[in-house]
C-alpha cells in the first residue's frame, strides 16, 4: 500500500502544480509498470487547446510512446480524480491492469467539473440526445469494415 500511496501522491502533486502554474485543470495522472513510473502528466486542455488532453489521456499517450506500444497491459494508472467518461474509455482501450483514484466524480462536480450530463446522454437513444446525429453513407462506409475483416496482415487491437 505504501508504494500505491507514493504514486498517488505524485498524481496529486501534478494536479496541484497544474493549478499553481496555470497549466490546466486540477488533475494529474501517473502510469507505473513493474514499480517504475513510465509516464506522468497533468491536465493539458487549456495550454494545448485540446479538449481531449485530460491528464489520463495525456499520460496514456506518453506511456504508449515511451513503451512503443498501443496497449498498456502490465501497467497501473494513478489518477488524482475518478476519470470522466472519455478518460475511463481510454483507460479501458489502453488495457491498463488497474486504476487507483483519489477524488471522486462528485468532488469534481463540486469543483465545477461536472460530467453527469455525459453519463445521462449515454443512457438516451440517439434521437433524444442533445447532440443532433444523422447517419449518412452507411453502405459506403461498410466497405472499410469488410476490407478490415478480409485483411490477413491486420494488426488486431
Amino acid at each position: 500500500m505504501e508504494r500505491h500511496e507514493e504514486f498517488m501522491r505524485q498524481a496529486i502533486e501534478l494536479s496541484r502544480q497544474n493549478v499553481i502554474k496555470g497549466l490546466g485543470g486540477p488533475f494529474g495522472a501517473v502510469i507505473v509498470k513493474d514499480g517504475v513510473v513510465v509516464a506522468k502528466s497533468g491536465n493539458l486542455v487549456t495550454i494545448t487547446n485540446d479538449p481531449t488532453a485530460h491528464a489520463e489521456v495525456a499520460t496514456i499517450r506518453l506511456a504508449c510512446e515511451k513503451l512503443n506500444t498501443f496497449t498498456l497491459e502490465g501497467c497501473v494508472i494513478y489518477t488524482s480524480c475518478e476519470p470522466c467518461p472519455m478518460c475511463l474509455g481510454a483507460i479501458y482501450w489502453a488495457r491498463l491492469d488497474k486504476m487507483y483514484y483519489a477524488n471522486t466524480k462528485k468532488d469534481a462536480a463540486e469543483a465545477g467539473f461536472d460530467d453527469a450530463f455525459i453519463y445521462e446522454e449515454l443512457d438516451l437513444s440517439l434521437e433524444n440526445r442533445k447532440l443532433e446525429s444523422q447517419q449518412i453513407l452507411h453502405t459506403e462506409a461498410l466497405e472499410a469494415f469488410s476490407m478490415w475483416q478480409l485483411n490477413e496482415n491486420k494488426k488486431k487491437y
Side-chain angles (χ1 to χ4, degrees):
M1 191 54 142
E2 192 173 304
R3 291 296 310 246
H4 296 305
E5 290 177 358
E6 173 190 330
F7 297 130
M8 182 58 75
R9 284 190 178 99
Q10 289 183 42
I12 292 168
E13 184 58 24
L14 285 164
S15 71
R16 291 179 71 257
Q17 288 301 314
N18 251 30
V19 174
I20 291 167
K21 296 177 181 175
L23 299 174
F27 304 97
V30 174
I31 291 179
V32 174
K33 183 172 185 163
D34 300 325
V36 176
V37 173
V38 174
K40 58 186 175 178
S41 182
N43 176 290
L44 304 173
V45 170
T46 58
I47 63 167
T48 61
N49 293 319
D50 179 354
T52 69
H54 290 198
E56 298 89 342
V57 171
T59 305
I60 287 169
R61 290 173 179 163
L62 290 170
C64 287
E65 184 178 339
K66 183 171 184 181
L67 297 174
N68 193 32
T69 183
F70 54 81
T71 177
L72 295 174
E73 292 168 306
C75 296
V76 176
I77 188 165
Y78 298 83
T79 178
S80 66
C81 187
E82 185 177 0
C84 73
M86 175 187 69
C87 291
L88 186 59
I91 289 166
Y92 275 109
W93 281 119
R95 294 179 177 84
L96 287 143
D97 288 359
K98 190 164 186 176
M99 173 181 75
Y100 293 90
Y101 65 93
N103 291 320
T104 66
K105 60 185 176 184
K106 183 178 183 283
D107 298 326
E110 289 172 1
F113 299 93
D114 192 357
D115 299 323
F117 77 97
I118 298 174
Y119 290 105
E120 291 165 5
E121 286 282 300
L122 291 173
D123 284 337
L124 298 174
S125 64
L126 282 172
E127 307 81 49
N128 292 320
R129 291 183 184 169
K130 290 181 179 131
L131 178 64
E132 186 178 334
S133 301
Q134 181 180 347
Q135 185 178 27
I136 61 173
L137 300 177
H138 180 228
T139 304
E140 276 185 49
L142 279 175
E143 181 183 356
F145 284 159
S146 296
M147 292 169 60
W148 172 261
Q149 289 174 312
L150 296 172
N151 183 349
E152 293 180 16
N153 298 318
K154 65 185 165 219
K155 192 171 190 177
K156 292 185 179 183
Y157 59 97

